């Protein structure tokens, strides 16, 4: 066995570092690749992480077997070529694989089982192969260090694990803050494949062999030219104005033939984040934003400025709807909080979102954090924050959140929240309403949004809510809002939820994912 | 036309057109057609479907139930309602029934595709688990 040669050990440690980085890039970007078809829920994250851990574990064991062979360096070269080629083809394979499980035109409530099992199967087909072969790298590199570099087994293993983990650390930060926002998904995968290919070439040169390597390099080269990620096309009659990758999601603005624009994130299912039409005011039937304009209309005696705090501003739809329905002499002011700063940029370019002296936009801030900031006395707090398309962020659903929200409001101020759900008995909606009722010490109102599967939660601090169908509820000057109030006054389209002794959602225990799963199951049962 | 000469459905529809759904609901009373109409136009599609299905013998209500069930992607309900509608349908509604049958066909095809996707996913997941288990067991055996 040759004596230790630090310079020869250096390149293999660099290789280990790079493969560790690529493993994390694959893991963190995997959900982004699947999100247009399966969403980016906690379940999808769990499946992707689980598949990658399983594949890595199997890869480590296979690498251990290969390390017993006479040419570990050649094995290393081949697994790196395989990793490069399989990574490079990921963008091109994502759409066909996903479509194999999720047919077009499926609504969210039809998709519960497809989401659960399809996302797992898609993750297996797409991400198990590259991570399996990447898993082989560490044991093969350790073996080579031990044989050629002269290290002991423990020393070689420790150095490989340390460098691999540091690579993963760098890969995780680079994915979120640079690769995906700057390069997008396709070029991120191709860059990873190129890096793995370069390392494979280096290993092949060191091993002085070329056979299967040549064929694999051709597969890689073909992928570099031909592998492109196909996002789902907009539905007929819509065209894309702009699309980009943000640190949180794929985002795009589409325009319909009638001029309406929609901000969509991850483009999955039948959801959108914001809607825009040329003139401020009520949107057509079916848009829950219209319900945000009701509280101002229920206080006709209040004049001057109507101050709002919007958590989950998106493209600013809530502001445009309220602005267009306020009575003469009243003006809209307030603060809007949006966690994704690039969504705000899109909205500024395509949805007339503007700051003004009385209206401030806080981009890049979480809604819960914003509640801790100074400032209070708002007339209305609007919660329109959805994460991963279908999930209410847990930190915006708890008793502590609603208590903090109440402190931001003037006496008699209003809380309006958009809640995705399936009817007035929906487990998520009920849990949220019960929690808000407990926090405020008063009953809250759930309204079924007409022509929609959304529910609107309405609560008030220190004063009673108007009862649907009553003169206070229906006596609205604005004709469109009066019509909406009348629509949501029919029996079976509203309910009060009283504060009671039932368990509520707290920061300590907020099983929102479980409730959302239950909600989808009940919706699926109702369909049968 | 004098109000008393209008049918309950016509009176309720007039109130709906004026945006007065509460009044329309009061007028509808126990009239199944009017109740369905008011709920449908107020945007309560689930409620309208329940109303329409409660009086399935009425071809007009069957047609409404079919239309709403298709909009809500309820294949089984749409199929049952369409069958009732088609059984009572006349020449005037033949084209509408044909169009509904086409829509139902597309909806059923999507439902079947979703079921196939789930079955495929189950097979792949089970196969992957079995392969991984076999591989791990084989690798865990000590060297000869």
């Amino acid at each position: 066995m040759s004596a230790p040669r630090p310079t020869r050990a250096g390149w293999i440690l660099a290789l280990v570092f790079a493969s560790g980085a690529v493993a994390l890039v694959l893991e963190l970007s995997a959900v982004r690749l699947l999100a247009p078809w399966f969403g980016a829920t906690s379940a999808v994250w769990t499946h992707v992480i689980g598949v990658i851990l399983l594949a890595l574990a199997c890869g480590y064991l296979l690498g251990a077997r290969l390390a017993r062979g006479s040419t570990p360096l050649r094995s290393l070269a081949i697994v790196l070529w395989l990793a490069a080629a399989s990574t490079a083809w990921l963008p091109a394979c994502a759409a066909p694989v996903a479509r194999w499980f999720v047919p077009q035109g499926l609504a969210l409530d039809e998709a519960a089982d497809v989401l659960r099992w399809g996302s797992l199967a898609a993750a297996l087909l797409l991400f198990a192969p590259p991570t399996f072969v990447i898993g082989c790298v560490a044991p093969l590199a350790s073996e080579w260090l031990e044989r050629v570099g002269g290290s002991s087994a423990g020393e070689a293993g420790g150095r490989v694990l340390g460098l691999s983990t540091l690579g993963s650390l760098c890969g995780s930060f680079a994915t979120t803050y640079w690769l995906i926002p700057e390069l997008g998904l396709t070029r991120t995968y191709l860059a990873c494949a190129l890096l793995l290919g370069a390392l494979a070439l280096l290993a092949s040169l060191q091993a002085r062999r070329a056979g299967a390597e040549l064929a694999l390099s051709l597969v890689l080269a073909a992928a570099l030219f031909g592998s492109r990620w196909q996002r789902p096309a907009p539905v007929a009659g819509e065209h894309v104005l702009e699309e980009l990758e943000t640190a949180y999601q794929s985002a795009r603005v589409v325009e319909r033939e009638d001029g309406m624009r929609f901000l969509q994130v991850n483009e999955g299912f039948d959801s959108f984040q914001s809607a825009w039409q040329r003139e401020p005011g009520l949107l057509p039937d079916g848009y829950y934003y219209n319900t945000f304009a009701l509280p101002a209309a229920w206080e006709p005696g209040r004049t001057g400025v109507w101050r709002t705090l919007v958590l989950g501003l998106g493209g600013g739809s809530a502001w445009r709807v309220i602005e267009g329905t306020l009575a003469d002499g009243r003006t809209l002011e307030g603060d809007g909080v949006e966690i994704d700063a690039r969504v705000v940029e899109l909205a500024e370019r395509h949805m007339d979102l503007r700051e003004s002296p009385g209206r401030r936009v806080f981009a890049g801030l979480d809604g819960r954090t914003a509640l801790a900031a100074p400032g209070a006395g708002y007339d209305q707090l609007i919660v329109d924050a959805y994460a991963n398309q279908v999930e209410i962020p847990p930190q915006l659903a708890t008793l502590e959140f609603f208590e903090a929200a109440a402190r931001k409001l003037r006496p008699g101020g209003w809380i309006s929240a958009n809640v995705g759900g399936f009817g007035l008995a929906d487990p998520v909606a009920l849990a949220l309403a019960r929690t808000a009722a407990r926090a405020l010490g008063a009953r809250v109102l759930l309204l079924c949004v007409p022509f929609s599967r959304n529910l609107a939660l309405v609560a008030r601090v220190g004063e009673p809510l108007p009862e649907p169908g009553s003169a206070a509820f229906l006596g609205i000057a604005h004709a469109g809002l009066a019509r909406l109030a009348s629509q949501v006054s029919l029996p079976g389209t509203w309910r009060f939820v009283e504060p009671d002794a039932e368990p509520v959602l707290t920061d300590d225990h907020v099983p929102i994912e479980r409730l959302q799963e239950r909600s989808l199951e009940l919706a699926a049962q109702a369909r049968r | 036309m004098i109000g008393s000469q209008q049918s309950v459905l016509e009176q309720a529809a007039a109130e709906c057109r004026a945006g007065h759904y509460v009044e329309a609901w009061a007028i509808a009373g126990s009239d199944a057609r009017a109740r369905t109409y008011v709920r449908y136009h107020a945007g309560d599609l689930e409620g309208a479907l329940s109303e329409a299905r409660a009086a399935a013998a009425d071809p007009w209500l069957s047609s409404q139930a079919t239309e709403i069930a298709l909009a809500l992607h309820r294949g089984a309900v749409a199929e049952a309602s369409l069958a009732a509608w088609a059984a009572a349908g006349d020449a005037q509604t033949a084209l509408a029934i044909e169009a509904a049958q086409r829509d139902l066909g597309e909806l059923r095809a999507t439902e079947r595709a979703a079921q196939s996707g789930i079955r495929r996913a189950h097979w792949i997941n089970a196969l992957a688990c079995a392969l991984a288990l076999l591989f791990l067991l084989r690798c865990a055996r000590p060297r000869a």
Side-chain angles (χ1 to χ4, degrees), chain A residues 58 100 110 121 451 486 491 527, chain B residues 21-22 39 43 73 120 125 135:
Chain A
C58 292
W100 204 39
E110 298 169 277
F451 299 101
S486 187
R527 301 174 52 75
Chain B
Y21 298 95
V22 174
R39 284 211 179 272
H73 287 210
R120 235 173 259 141
N125 295 336
F135 182 80

Side-chain angles (χ1 to χ4, degrees), chain A residues 386-402:
Chain A
Y386 265 76
N388 311 326
Q389 293 172 279
V390 295
E391 290 185 340
I392 293 174
Q395 74 275 19
L396 303 186
T398 64
L399 187 69
E400 294 84 348
F401 165 74
F402 283 109

Side-chain angles (χ1 to χ4, degrees), chain A residues 54 58 61-62 65 68 100-101 103-107 110 113-114 117-118 120-121 124-125 132 450-451 474 483 486-487 489-491 493 526-527, chain B residues 19-22 25 38-45 72-74 110-111 113-114 117-118 120-122 124-125 128 132 135-136 138-139 141 143:
Chain A
L54 178 68
C58 292
L61 291 169
L62 178 67
R65 290 226 153 187
R68 283 153 51 186
W100 204 39
F101 301 110
Q104 231 153 1
L106 208 60
E110 298 169 277
D113 284 344
V114 177
W117 303 115
L120 179 58
L124 279 165
L125 290 178
F132 175 59
F451 299 101
L474 295 171
R483 178 174 172 272
S486 187
Q487 283 175 308
S489 289
L490 292 190
T493 63
R527 301 174 52 75
Chain B
H20 303 149
Y21 298 95
V22 174
W25 183 249
V38 174
R39 284 211 179 272
Y40 179 72
H41 286 82
D44 177 16
L45 300 189
L72 290 170
H73 287 210
R74 301 276 176 84
T110 305
E111 287 175 348
I118 293 166
R120 235 173 259 141
H122 282 319
I124 287 167
N125 295 336
F135 182 80
L136 292 172
R138 190 174 157 78
C139 286
R141 279 199 309 211
R143 284 199 242 192

Side-chain angles (χ1 to χ4, degrees), chain A residues 31 52 58-59 88 148 152 154 178 192 240-241 248 254 284 309 313 327 339 354 407 445-446 465-466 478 509 522:
Chain A
V31 173
I52 286 177
C58 292
V148 181
S152 67
W178 179 62
C192 287
V240 177
L241 295 178
Y248 295 94
V254 298
L309 173 59
L313 183 65
I339 195 165
R354 299 273 181 279
R407 288 193 291 273
L445 180 58
L446 278 177
L465 288 164
H478 188 282
H509 186 220
L522 289 175

